Amino acid sequence: MWRPGEGLYALVVFLVVLLEALALGYLVLAFTGRLFGLLGYGETMGALLLGLALTGLALVLLGAYVLLYHAYTAWRERREAQQKEAYLERFTQALLAGEPPPPLPWPQAALVALLALRESLKGELAEALLPWLRQGLSRWERALRSPLASRARRLEALDALAQARLPEAFPLVFPYLTHQDPVLRLAAARAAARLARGEDLEALAQALLRAALPRGALLEVLLLLEERAEPVVRRFLQEGGSEEVWAALEALGRLKLHGLAAKALALLHHPDPEVKAAAMRALWRLEYPPLGHEEAVLAALGAEEEFLRLQAVRLLPLLGGGLARRALWKALSDPSFYVRRGAAEALKALDPSLLKRAAEAHPDPYGRAMARQVAGV
């Protein structure tokens, strides 16, 4: 994202380079004419002096502009930071001490201070800022609706709406969820996740299913929803492809959505090993035993993918009983260090006495060493 004034900076540099190219082209023509006897000595020297003068003038102008630009931007940044701190102090006093807010109209620094304050507060104090934040809604709306607005300006508006969390701003953000620019689409998804409430959540879920965002971005959006994520996660699990289902399973476990835990059980049989591992990870985080799906967990212990075997050994203690103990004992012989480590830690949680026995008598020397390390013997 460009800072204010960088567009003019780029234009000046382009014009200087263009002027230099024209001067060099003129010199080439002049010397070519002299070479073939079409120009006299005096005319050629005049062209040379003109080219040198143009070059010197261009360098002086460019150097002066660069120095002035950097001096001005540094001064402007310091001034904006000072204004932000001053407005932040005044808004804090108005919020906590009941003093009147600064008089309208507010400059950009005031809105930046309000957004920073909104990000640092929660509960009733944060809600009390909403009437003040609505003073900037028209400015952000113009940036998003104007066909001439730059990408930088639109990104700033989307980011501001995400921080402001004004529920009525969701319709402004929603069209950008299908924007052709992937950067704007991602920024809109982040903003929409903070704005969506009630019926907007279903619309958000449908839009995200068509947005073609990568799984990491989808997971970020679901985590931003926090306690509002359940309907979107449910829709992902029902209608999404592998990317959406993976993100939904990750969010299901991290956000502790116990009401959807049963839906992860069926995905233990998914053909995609990463989705299957995500389902196991979600159940492990929820401490939800995969009863009735023991075969899927045991089959994962023999999978080629190391990450899938690791998730399987972590999940085994939730099954309990002799089946889990035998499977973990066997997993101590796995060729992967991380799987052996996971198996030893799982065995410690399930049956510490069996882990100590493995530290003394396990047939695999690497498994025996891992058991000793985890058991601390």
Side-chain angles (χ1 to χ4, degrees):
M1 188 184 300
W2 284 12
R3 294 179 296 176
E6 288 191 347
L8 180 60
Y9 181 94
L11 179 62
V12 170
V13 172
F14 172 76
L15 291 176
V16 168
V17 172
L18 181 62
L19 181 62
E20 284 296 294
L22 292 174
L24 290 174
Y26 179 69
L27 284 177
V28 169
L29 291 176
F31 276 90
T32 302
R34 174 62 180 168
L35 181 65
F36 289 100
L38 300 177
L39 289 178
Y41 177 78
E43 295 172 325
T44 306
M45 290 303 296
L48 177 60
L49 291 174
L50 178 61
L52 291 174
L54 288 175
T55 300
L57 178 63
L59 290 177
V60 169
L61 289 175
L62 179 60
Y65 182 80
V66 168
L67 292 175
L68 288 174
Y69 170 77
H70 286 289
Y72 169 73
T73 52
W75 170 81
R76 179 171 177 169
E77 288 174 356
R78 287 195 302 270
R79 179 171 173 270
E80 289 177 349
Q82 292 170 356
Q83 285 184 331
K84 176 188 172 183
E85 290 299 321
Y87 274 106
L88 186 60
E89 183 178 355
R90 294 186 66 179
F91 281 123
T92 303
Q93 291 176 352
L95 185 64
L96 300 179
E99 298 181 5
L104 295 171
W106 294 335
Q108 179 67 20
L111 293 175
V112 172
L114 269 177
L115 292 172
L117 197 58
R118 176 74 163 111
E119 283 290 276
S120 62
L121 297 177
K122 292 187 179 295
E124 294 182 0
L125 288 176
E127 295 296 322
L129 294 174
L130 295 183
W132 297 343
L133 286 166
R134 289 188 175 95
Q135 298 296 327
L137 187 57
S138 60
R139 182 180 304 184
W140 301 321
E141 182 177 1
R142 285 194 301 272
L144 294 178
R145 293 194 186 279
S146 172
L148 301 178
S150 65
R151 179 208 241 186
R153 190 178 170 201
R154 295 182 187 189
L155 285 172
E156 288 174 355
L158 289 169
D159 184 55
L161 289 174
Q163 294 179 67
R165 283 169 278 173
L166 297 169
E168 65 268 28
F170 182 80
L172 292 176
V173 173
F174 186 75
Y176 280 86
L177 290 171
T178 55
H179 199 279
Q180 60 183 359
D181 187 333
V183 177
L184 288 174
R185 201 160 62 239
L186 176 57
R190 290 169 174 163
R194 291 194 158 197
L195 299 173
R197 300 287 188 281
E199 296 179 357
D200 292 340
L201 293 170
E202 288 295 331
L204 174 62
Q206 289 292 345
L208 289 174
L209 287 171
R210 300 189 300 269
L213 293 174
R215 61 175 58 181
L218 290 170
L219 174 58
E220 180 185 359
V221 171
L222 293 176
L223 294 179
L224 285 172
L225 286 165
E226 297 177 336
E227 72 279 357
R228 296 166 286 119
E230 186 166 334
V232 182
V233 170
R234 182 184 291 108
R235 183 60 62 90
F236 276 21
L237 293 174
Q238 292 172 350
E239 303 177 17
S242 294
E243 299 289 298
E244 292 80 12
V245 170
W246 181 92
L249 289 169
E250 284 293 318
L252 190 155
R254 296 189 191 191
L255 295 175
K256 307 297 182 184
L257 302 178
H258 293 275
L260 298 177
K263 293 188 176 294
L265 292 175
L267 294 169
L268 292 174
H269 306 274
H270 198 279
D272 188 335
E274 293 195 10
V275 172
K276 192 183 299 184
M280 293 183 183
R281 192 159 47 245
L283 294 170
W284 172 64
R285 285 171 172 157
L286 294 174
E287 299 182 359
Y288 192 91
L291 300 177
H293 299 267
E294 293 86 352
E295 291 184 5
V297 179
L298 293 175
L301 291 173
E304 295 182 4
E305 296 84 2
E306 177 188 63
F307 63 86
L308 190 54
R309 301 198 305 273
L310 176 59
Q311 299 307 322
V313 298
R314 287 178 173 176
L315 193 57
L316 278 171
L318 297 179
L319 291 173
L323 179 66
R325 288 175 172 81
R326 290 192 296 273
L328 289 172
W329 181 276
K330 183 178 179 181
L332 284 172
S333 302
D334 194 277
S336 167
F337 169 87
Y338 300 101
V339 176
R340 293 196 304 273
R341 178 80 182 187
E345 291 175 347
L347 198 56
K348 182 178 182 179
L350 180 63
D351 191 342
S353 62
L354 184 58
L355 179 65
K356 291 181 180 180
R357 201 175 88 188
E360 300 172 355
H362 197 279
D364 186 278
Y366 296 105
R368 193 164 57 248
M370 182 61 72
R372 281 201 301 268
Q373 182 181 352
V374 173
V377 295

